[in-house]
Amino acid sequence: MKAIRVREFGPPENMRIEELPTPHPGPGQVVVRVKAAGVNPVDTYIRSGVYTKKPNLPWTPGSDAAGVVESVGEGVTGVSVGARVYTSGSITGTYAEQALCEDYQLHPLLEKLSFEQGAAINVPYATAYRALFQRAEATSGEWILVHGATGGVGVAAIQLAHAAGMKVIGTGGTERGRSLVKDLGADHVLNHNEPDYLDQVQALTGDHGVDVILEMLANVNLDRDLKALAMNGRVSIIGSRGRIEIAPRDIMSRDATVVGMQLINATKQEMATIHAALQAGLGNGTLNPIVGKQMPLADAPLAHHEVMKPGAYGKIVLNP
Ligand SMILES: NC(=O)c1ccc[n+]([C@@H]2O[C@H](COP(=O)([O-])OP(=O)(O)OC[C@H]3O[C@@H](n4cnc5c(N)ncnc54)[C@H](OP(=O)(O)O)[C@@H]3O)[C@@H](O)[C@H]2O)c1
């Protein structure tokens, strides 16, 4: 089978297509024929060698994919050959024609969803769900600001918050991205490239401020986020690419809370809870993954350049 391999940490061009033996499932394992693989920013951090947890090399990137079950190992009962599935992790990596997975890393993919949409579920939707409900404990009727709403996690967050009856403000850097966010159900949309755009939050929320902020770029926004919070507000930090100075008094004066989250810290039980909730939302149509770009597997280096550029529009996926 063909798979992307990284033999040395470094730039996107260090990812090359190689011919590898097809994987065979051991006990409790499943092989998936990958139809689409999701590209996440974390794949680029790992590939470049800056991520805290480094895989052994050579390594095939990717945790997210959708496809069809090719073979199952001993003791696997929940899934059978030919089933449509999406993955939440993989043993051998998903930027490949086939991926070996633990059986608990597979979830049924509804017929109405394309494989590309299936590849856009795991990291984006599970992260948004965990940040919103498990970490920030957002509830219906609250004001939510999704700071960076046009990308994979942001789109998921807008849909989850809207479906839960929250009042939603989303931000985007391009006209095209902002109109997507509005179409997905945001009550208001702001341009995070405009100066002082967060000044509008007080007026939009009737001088209340936002109860919860889901933050995709904390090193740029955290200081201003704190000033936009309502009393007892929470900031859930999802993404950060550097350092920032804040005024702790902004937290004190609002009895506010800043929480961090990393999806890999979720327990197996928490992940099961998350995917059960996602299955319900995907089933009733309130969650509907948006795929902005599809590329052939060989274009993985290009996809890694693209995912780090401004102008996000949902997910980028690779087709093996
Ligand atoms: N903690 C975790 O477990 C976890 C899990 C998943 C992702 N993440 C992180 O969360 C971030 C988003 O992930 P993603 O998959 O959604 O990435 P993505 O699809 O590449 O989207 C990036 C988002 O960041 C937005 N952005 C750019 N400049 C911004 C600014 N000044 N203020 C606010 N937002 C800004 C982009 O908006 P425009 O392009 O419209 O400007 C876009 O909406 C990444 O840093 C990623 O590493 C963390």
Side-chain angles (χ1 to χ4, degrees):
M1 68 156 183
K2 291 190 170 42
I4 294 289
R5 295 298 266 174
V6 174
R7 296 193 164 270
E8 200 181 336
F9 295 119
E13 290 65 32
N14 284 18
M15 292 188 290
R16 294 195 184 88
I17 282 230
E18 293 186 13
E19 197 67 41
L20 293 184
T22 52
H24 291 286
Q29 298 177 341
V30 178
V31 172
V32 176
R33 180 163 291 278
V34 176
K35 302 285 192 184
V39 174
N40 288 297
V42 70
D43 303 339
T44 75
Y45 314 151
I46 301 172
R47 183 218 71 236
S48 66
V50 300
Y51 200 61
T52 37
K53 286 191 180 158
K54 291 186 184 56
N56 293 327
L57 299 178
W59 164 74
T60 297
S63 57
D64 296 3
V68 173
V69 171
E70 179 79 9
S71 55
V72 300
E74 202 186 303
V76 173
T77 54
V79 69
S80 45
V81 173
R84 285 163 52 92
V85 292
Y86 73 89
T87 68
S88 59
S90 159
I91 301 163
T92 54
T94 59
Y95 289 21
E97 287 177 332
Q98 296 187 36
L100 180 68
C101 300
E102 303 287 0
D103 58 357
Y104 63 81
Q105 293 174 321
L106 300 186
H107 312 272
L109 179 67
L110 297 167
E111 282 293 338
K112 66 176 177 177
L113 296 178
S114 68
F115 290 115
E116 287 72 25
Q117 287 181 297
I121 297 172
N122 177 48
V123 166
Y125 280 85
T127 299
Y129 186 93
R130 183 164 173 76
L132 189 63
F133 295 111
Q134 296 182 335
R135 301 295 290 140
E137 299 181 358
T139 57
S140 307
E142 287 194 308
W143 276 102
I144 313 297
L145 172 69
V146 181
H147 218 164
T150 50
V153 179
V155 161
I158 295 284
Q159 292 179 352
L160 284 163
H162 181 58
M166 296 165 192
K167 295 169 279 191
V168 187
I169 305 173
T171 79
T174 61
E175 190 63 52
R176 182 171 175 253
R178 287 192 296 278
S179 81
L180 170 68
V181 174
K182 188 82 180 140
D183 290 347
L184 295 176
D187 297 279
H188 305 286
V189 184
L190 299 174
N191 177 354
H192 54 230
N193 293 329
E194 262 177 17
D196 304 326
Y197 63 99
L198 285 183
D199 291 354
Q200 298 172 58
V201 163
Q202 287 306 317
L204 294 177
T205 60
D207 280 333
H208 177 76
V210 281
D211 298 294
V212 169
I213 299 179
L214 300 191
E215 183 50 66
M216 306 303 158
L217 201 56
N219 58 301
V220 172
N221 297 322
L222 185 59
D223 186 47
R224 285 173 302 162
D225 283 348
L226 298 174
K227 296 168 179 44
L229 282 180
M231 187 63 74
N232 297 310
R234 291 88 75 201
V235 181
S236 196
I237 299 181
I238 297 171
S240 186
R241 295 180 179 166
R243 301 177 64 89
I244 184 167
E245 188 175 303
I246 60 160
R249 191 157 287 279
D250 289 331
I251 305 176
M252 293 157 60
S253 59
R254 294 167 176 78
D255 280 15
T257 308
V258 177
V259 295
M261 63 82 51
Q262 263 197 328
L263 189 61
I264 51 169
N265 297 338
T267 63
K268 219 164 139 181
Q269 182 52 49
E270 286 171 328
M271 285 302 280
T273 304
I274 291 169
H275 282 280
L278 298 184
Q279 287 284 341
L282 292 162
N284 67 26
T286 52
L287 306 183
N288 189 27
I290 304 292
V291 176
K293 254 180 213 156
Q294 279 177 246
M295 299 181 190
L297 184 63
D299 283 350
L302 179 62
H304 275 208
H305 282 293
E306 290 282 318
V307 78
M308 297 305 279
K309 279 189 198 157
Y313 194 92
K315 283 299 297 179
I316 300 174
V317 303
L318 297 169
N319 292 114

